[in-house]
Amino acid sequence: MTTPEQPDPVRADAEKQQQAAMAVAAPAYVAACPGAGKTHVITNRHLQSPRRRLRKGRALISFTRVARDQMARRCRSAGRADLVQAPHFIGTLDSFLWEFLVKPRRAAQPTPRLLESWASLKAPVQGTDREINLHRFPMTIDPSYRKARETVAWDKLDYDTRQLIKDTSYSRAQWEKKIFETRKAWCDEGYLTGHEARVLALWNLRHAQTAAALLPPLLSRFAEVVVDEAQDCSAADLAILQLLHDAGLPQVLVGDPDQAIYAWRGAEPRALQSFAAQLSPAPHRLTGNWRSSPVICRLASTLRTGQRPPDTSVVRDDDVPVLVLPTRFADSGSRHLHAPTGAGIVDAFRTLAEEYAVPAKDCLVTAYKYATLPGITREKPNTKAITSLAWARTVTHTPSASGDDLARACAVAVRVLFGYWYPGETGGPDRIMARHRLSAEQVNRTAFAFLHSLPAPHREWGPQVWQAMKAWPALPGAAPQGGKGRPAGKPTVSRPQAATGIRTNIVHQLKGDEADGVLLLLPDSGSVQRWATADPATDEVLRVWYVAVTRARRLAAVALPDEESDQLARLLAERQVPFRVA
């Protein structure tokens, strides 16, 4: 026990690490453990900037709008709104590439627009025997080629898309040709996504004439670029950062290779470490965890590379053991049963969490795949509009719905309503909004209200939806034409799930999230063997589990097949992790 005259040495050491990271000179690499306070470090580094500089600002780059908004909000709260304005920049990597490496070289007409994804438009691939939207075909970039070779990532197609092209008369080469032709037509109209922004940024930086036009203003404006969550950088991202580094732009990368869980888009831990070694041969480390208990820190250390000692828990002394929950898994997340009691696994977790004074509202259930999770049935791609609308309506009446699901639900409603209100208008909702001067806030508010007003979906739901569409107050510029835009057919209605009061989401959607109690569902046999023998440096699944358990503040639980629970208990005992089989 420490007194005010005797400061806590653990906290003092963690604060010392943070202060050093705030002051380290660029170029540098900061390796930060989960809960290390990266946003605090990055924002405080920025808050040290002098006022009223016309040049030599700082760019803070993140991979999510949530992180971007959090950093900007902290600057404003500290009375430094100037740090959110030029010459500084706070935004996502996509927006940084767009603003400084792509848009300056684009023609003013047609107006260039950066889309979050091609799903923002109704953009079916033209000239084929199947109507499949462009966004269903993920693309990859190989930056090792000077012209950044692009291909369709056929191995990353979702199940529904694979089924749609299974019996097509077109070969993959023909499909790829049509995909790129369709994409080019939209790009010629001014539309691009983050993928195209990367391709163009690479091209612009690798060609002397365009680089000579882009780099001087960039080097003049920024004294430093800070990249948060650097482990999420793809090979193309790192190639761009390498070119900027070679051009003399100082960079500070902050990340954790053990949390690299986006291999599908080209993020690879060793590539980051190779680039980081150029910035600082000896990385600055943040090993103080301000989120999780010592038990959770110890559990996490069993899932990462190098067999490093557990991170230091800074502000917690909870000794709640890891819960090992023997489970009988079913095909549906709503039917996973806790083997000892026969109760639903989420209900069993809630009961056990309450024993440790962790209420349901502070709990989270997660898994590698949506199919494993209880809760909302996910919207399936390429379904009828009426079925998508039924899914969206269900989301708006689900108290535990995530922000991402609510955003997707509103997007579904916007597509349906715009198809009725603006028949024949091209370019999708984004262009229609620009044409009629509709704000995103106005459109989304209308979409949510419309969805929430609809009755519960059933097999004969379609006529009720149509009557509601005709009666709903239209947005400016609407010009309905009879029955055009009417959602056809009957919806496929999923059985509603019982409310548990506990949030659910896949691990890939939890970056930056946390909860007092976290339950990780591991339904696959052999998971314990994988945990014990695989190398997290090369096995992304272990890194996904690592991200999951490190979201927990006080309680971590693992549900796995009944017959493997003893194996996990032995593994945790060997690694000296306190546990309870319950």
Side-chain angles (χ1 to χ4, degrees):
M1 181 100 179
T2 58
T3 67
E5 292 75 25
Q6 297 174 308
D8 178 0
V10 172
R11 188 185 189 103
D13 186 58
E15 289 176 342
K16 184 178 179 181
Q17 289 182 348
Q18 289 185 333
Q19 291 291 336
M22 293 172 199
V24 65
Y29 171 53
V30 178
C33 74
K38 292 190 286 71
T39 303
H40 169 77
V41 168
I42 292 170
T43 307
N44 277 25
R45 182 183 180 91
H46 195 37
L47 287 169
Q48 296 171 4
S49 304
R51 295 178 183 270
R52 296 186 296 276
R53 297 185 87 169
L54 297 178
R55 296 285 187 275
K56 298 303 180 184
R58 178 182 284 110
L60 305 186
I61 298 174
S62 64
F63 279 84
T64 67
R65 287 174 292 182
V66 172
R68 172 202 66 189
D69 294 344
Q70 186 178 10
M71 290 188 287
R73 187 165 55 249
R74 290 191 181 188
C75 288
R76 292 190 179 98
S77 297
R80 294 297 307 274
D82 59 298
L83 295 179
V84 184
Q85 303 162 1
H88 307 291
F89 173 87
I90 300 178
T92 63
L93 181 59
D94 282 10
S95 62
F96 178 83
L97 300 179
W98 175 254
E99 289 295 330
F100 301 109
L101 298 178
V102 177
K103 191 176 177 182
R105 303 298 298 173
R106 299 289 294 178
Q109 295 296 331
T111 305
R113 287 181 173 275
L114 179 65
L115 304 174
E116 190 167 322
S117 99
W118 290 116
S120 303
L121 304 173
K122 186 177 182 181
V125 176
Q126 300 296 318
T128 65
D129 56 356
R130 299 283 190 280
E131 183 170 321
I132 308 178
N133 208 58
L134 187 60
H135 78 275
R136 300 255 59 95
F137 297 96
M139 300 181 189
T140 62
I141 311 170
D142 185 346
S144 63
Y145 290 80
R146 182 167 174 78
K147 290 188 68 174
R149 188 172 70 175
E150 296 179 88
T151 57
V152 174
W154 295 103
D155 59 327
K156 301 294 192 300
L157 296 187
D158 59 57
Y159 173 81
D160 299 277
T161 306
R162 290 199 305 272
Q163 292 301 110
L164 280 169
I165 66 172
K166 185 176 180 181
D167 300 319
T168 181
S169 60
Y170 285 72
S171 67
R172 283 192 174 182
Q174 290 172 313
W175 266 102
E176 191 153 305
K177 183 173 182 290
K178 297 297 183 181
I179 288 166
F180 282 113
E181 286 176 355
T182 301
R183 198 268 305 265
K184 183 179 184 303
W186 283 104
C187 289
D188 288 345
E189 290 193 35
Y191 292 102
L192 294 94
T193 71
H195 174 89
E196 290 74 38
R198 283 159 174 78
V199 173
L200 291 172
L202 281 167
W203 195 96
N204 287 340
L205 289 173
R206 285 172 170 171
H207 288 76
Q209 184 176 359
T210 51
L214 291 170
L215 286 172
L218 196 63
L219 297 174
S220 173
R221 175 166 174 172
F222 296 116
E224 176 180 287
V225 170
V226 182
V227 181
D228 188 18
E229 302 287 5
Q231 74 278 352
D232 294 341
C233 288
S234 66
D237 297 335
L238 291 176
I240 293 167
L241 294 177
Q242 179 75 65
L243 289 165
L244 294 176
H245 173 69
D246 293 343
L249 183 62
Q251 297 172 38
V252 176
L253 268 58
V254 184
D256 179 6
D258 292 312
Q259 296 187 67
I261 60 172
Y262 295 105
W264 60 271
R265 70 184 187 201
E268 209 283 314
R270 290 177 179 173
L272 169 64
Q273 290 169 324
S274 176
F275 177 59
Q278 299 179 49
L279 303 181
S280 53
H284 181 89
R285 294 194 176 277
L286 297 177
T287 60
N289 187 323
W290 298 74
R291 174 192 301 148
S292 301
S293 72
V295 172
I296 294 167
C297 289
R298 186 168 289 279
L299 172 67
S301 70
T302 71
L303 283 165
R304 67 183 184 191
T305 58
Q307 297 191 359
R308 303 192 307 277
D311 299 317
T312 304
S313 179
V314 180
V315 295
R316 298 191 180 279
D317 57 5
D318 306 74
D319 58 358
V320 179
V322 174
L323 298 182
V324 177
L325 306 184
T327 305
R328 294 195 294 272
F329 285 95
D331 292 336
S332 167
S334 61
R335 295 197 296 273
H336 302 329
L337 300 179
H338 182 228
T341 64
I345 190 59
V346 177
D347 290 330
F349 171 59
R350 180 176 54 193
T351 299
L352 290 163
E354 288 172 352
E355 290 185 24
Y356 298 100
V358 178
K361 66 181 180 63
D362 294 327
C363 287
L364 171 68
V365 177
T366 189
Y368 187 82
K369 299 176 182 178
Y370 278 125
T372 305
L373 287 172
I376 303 168
T377 302
R378 286 325 202 208
E379 179 197 17
K380 293 184 177 180
N382 304 309
T383 56
K384 294 179 296 185
I386 193 71
T387 293
S388 292
L389 200 64
W391 170 85
R393 188 271 181 198
T394 301
V395 169
T396 62
H397 283 265
T398 302
S400 61
S402 69
D404 286 340
D405 276 334
L406 287 168
R408 283 194 290 268
C410 286
V412 168
V414 168
R415 289 198 300 269
V416 171
L417 289 170
F418 277 22
Y420 169 58
W421 285 338
Y422 308 100
E425 293 201 28
T426 60
D430 187 70
R431 176 160 286 187
I432 292 170
M433 288 165 60
R435 189 177 296 136
H436 295 283
R437 303 191 180 200
L438 305 173
S439 70
E441 181 182 4
Q442 177 187 20
V443 169
N444 287 329
R445 188 168 57 244
T446 298
F448 182 88
F450 171 74
L451 283 173
H452 203 269
S453 74
L454 294 175
H458 52 86
R459 291 292 291 167
E460 304 302 325
W461 190 54
Q464 290 179 295
V465 171
W466 179 234
Q467 291 302 317
M469 289 173 63
K470 290 191 293 182
W472 198 260
L475 290 172
Q481 296 178 13
K484 287 187 177 181
R486 177 175 182 172
K490 298 180 179 181
T492 301
V493 182
S494 301
R495 186 178 68 180
Q497 305 284 356
T500 64
I502 294 178
R503 290 186 295 132
T504 65
N505 215 333
I506 60 168
V507 181
H508 288 83
Q509 297 295 328
L510 295 181
K511 282 294 190 73
D513 203 349
E514 58 185 63
D516 277 358
V518 173
L519 169 62
L520 170 62
L521 304 176
L522 301 182
D524 298 328
S525 60
S527 292
V528 178
Q529 179 70 11
R530 188 172 200 162
W531 192 324
T533 62
D535 182 1
T538 55
D539 190 340
E540 187 186 53
V541 171
L542 292 189
R543 300 198 296 270
V544 170
W545 299 350
Y546 177 79
V547 169
V549 300
T550 56
R551 301 310 92 191
R553 289 188 286 257
R554 296 184 52 223
L555 169 66
V558 181
L560 71 169
D562 187 10
E563 62 274 14
E564 294 195 15
S565 58
D566 287 343
Q567 287 179 258
L568 181 57
R570 287 194 295 271
L571 184 150
L572 296 178
E574 291 170 3
R575 307 289 177 86
Q576 299 182 324
V577 179
F579 69 91
R580 170 189 169 191
V581 179

